[in-house]
Amino acid sequence: MEQHIFPMRLDKYLADMSVGTRKEVKKMIRSGRVAVDDSPAAAPEQKITEGMKVCLDGQPVIYQRYVYYLLNKPAGILTATRDRHKKTVLDLLDEAAGKNLSPCGRLDLDTEGLLLITNNGQLIHRLLSPAGHVAKTYYARIRGRADEEDIRRFAAGIKLAEDFTAMPAQLLIRRADAISEVEVTIYEGKFHQVKNMFEAVGKPVLYLRRISMGPLKLPDDLAPGCWRPLNEQEMADLALLQPQL
Ligand code: URA
């Protein structure tokens, strides 16, 4: 069900839009830098309703309900919102505070690569729902020589448990050697699925990195641990999956 976010306190409005921390935006309001509907803002607790115009130093601050970040998850960071002992992917995003963000799917502690982080729960559901069949591609280094038989077995659907056979997956061999380099595309996301699939063909994963999810690709210039908001093209590509984005 659609939740109403307005009316909202002015200081929350500005802090949500990453103009500053709650403390900083209170100072900005008190020093007269913020206007609401062209009048100087009265106080941090002033209520903003839908359609009101908020400006900081004369520049409009438009409220965006949903935010979308693309993170290159490094190894050693937990895919969770918070944890008492380990650093999480949300700890890496300095803009995360107060935004109710969640990672879209889970990468193992030692897996690197593309992770979408958003507060749009419907989009997360669309990307992760097994019925959605959204493609996820991983680059992997595996122990053993990848061969045609592996391609055939991945394409046929590998039995991973008594009651679970993986959906057909595509395997692309980039380098076949004692340690092989491959790309694998799967359309579901069971726990440790890629590792378990390679384990099943006797070629354990040594390194794993997610390089795409649906229309999103891991950018070459985004180093592990770095993140950025989705760009317009990425937003447009996602909107094809979820028109009300
Ligand atoms: N499959 C795995 O085995 N691990 C991951 O982190 C992601 C997919």
Side-chain angles (χ1 to χ4, degrees):
M1 201 174 53
E2 189 75 352
Q3 265 186 330
H4 295 288
I5 49 172
F6 293 105
M8 177 189 294
R9 283 174 61 121
L10 177 59
D11 54 354
K12 175 167 164 43
Y13 181 109
L14 291 168
D16 279 1
M17 291 307 98
S18 304
V19 158
T21 62
R22 204 70 175 241
K23 200 166 154 195
E24 287 164 350
V25 302
K26 279 183 177 151
K27 259 197 192 159
M28 292 173 191
I29 297 166
R30 294 208 174 96
S31 61
R33 294 173 58 194
V34 179
V36 177
D37 283 347
D38 300 320
S39 303
E45 55 275 15
Q46 180 174 352
K47 287 283 184 279
I48 304 301
T49 54
E50 192 118 39
M52 277 182 162
K53 187 171 115 195
V54 176
C55 290
L56 170 68
D57 298 331
Q59 295 301 313
V61 180
I62 312 286
Y63 197 85
Q64 264 186 297
R65 178 171 191 168
Y66 296 122
V67 288
Y68 306 88
Y69 301 107
L70 204 148
L71 168 74
N72 185 350
K73 177 194 167 303
I77 300 287
L78 203 64
T79 309
T81 49
R82 66 177 70 87
D83 187 80
R84 285 178 47 197
H85 306 291
K86 283 208 158 56
K87 208 166 170 181
T88 73
V89 289
L90 286 197
D91 294 329
L92 296 177
L93 265 72
D94 36 0
E95 289 186 13
K99 287 190 179 157
N100 270 331
L101 293 171
S102 299
C104 180
R106 195 172 283 269
L107 294 177
D108 295 338
L109 191 64
D110 58 352
T111 300
E112 294 186 350
L114 184 149
L115 196 63
L116 172 68
I117 297 185
T118 178
N119 54 354
N120 185 335
Q122 275 185 320
L123 178 69
I124 292 181
H125 182 260
R126 172 69 186 86
L127 288 169
L128 296 185
S129 142
H133 300 317
V134 170
K136 285 162 268 225
T137 300
Y138 296 82
Y139 162 86
R141 278 197 293 275
I142 56 173
R143 187 177 303 287
R145 187 178 289 273
D147 58 21
E148 290 298 319
E149 175 62 7
D150 298 325
I151 295 179
R152 196 197 57 72
R153 288 187 64 188
F154 272 56
I158 294 186
K159 186 166 181 177
L160 292 177
E162 233 4 271
D163 57 351
F164 178 64
T165 299
M167 283 167 55
Q170 279 117 38
L171 184 63
L172 186 74
I173 301 175
R174 291 268 176 228
R175 197 168 78 101
D177 214 326
I179 288 176
S180 300
E181 293 180 56
V182 296
E183 282 176 27
V184 58
T185 300
I186 60 174
Y187 300 87
E188 58 202 335
K190 292 279 186 304
F191 196 52
H192 298 323
Q193 177 152 347
V194 172
K195 289 177 184 165
N196 289 343
M197 287 166 74
F198 283 106
E199 202 68 52
V201 297
K203 293 169 187 167
V205 168
L206 304 173
Y207 170 81
L208 192 60
R209 175 168 73 228
R210 180 152 68 194
I211 55 175
S212 74
M213 181 173 196
L216 300 177
K217 308 254 174 298
L218 182 67
D220 289 337
D221 58 357
L222 197 67
C226 294
W227 57 274
R228 61 158 171 77
L230 289 193
N231 62 32
E232 273 181 33
Q233 184 60 55
E234 289 159 343
M235 291 297 299
D237 292 343
L238 277 181
L240 295 176
L241 287 178
Q242 177 89 357
Q244 65 275 36
L245 212 62

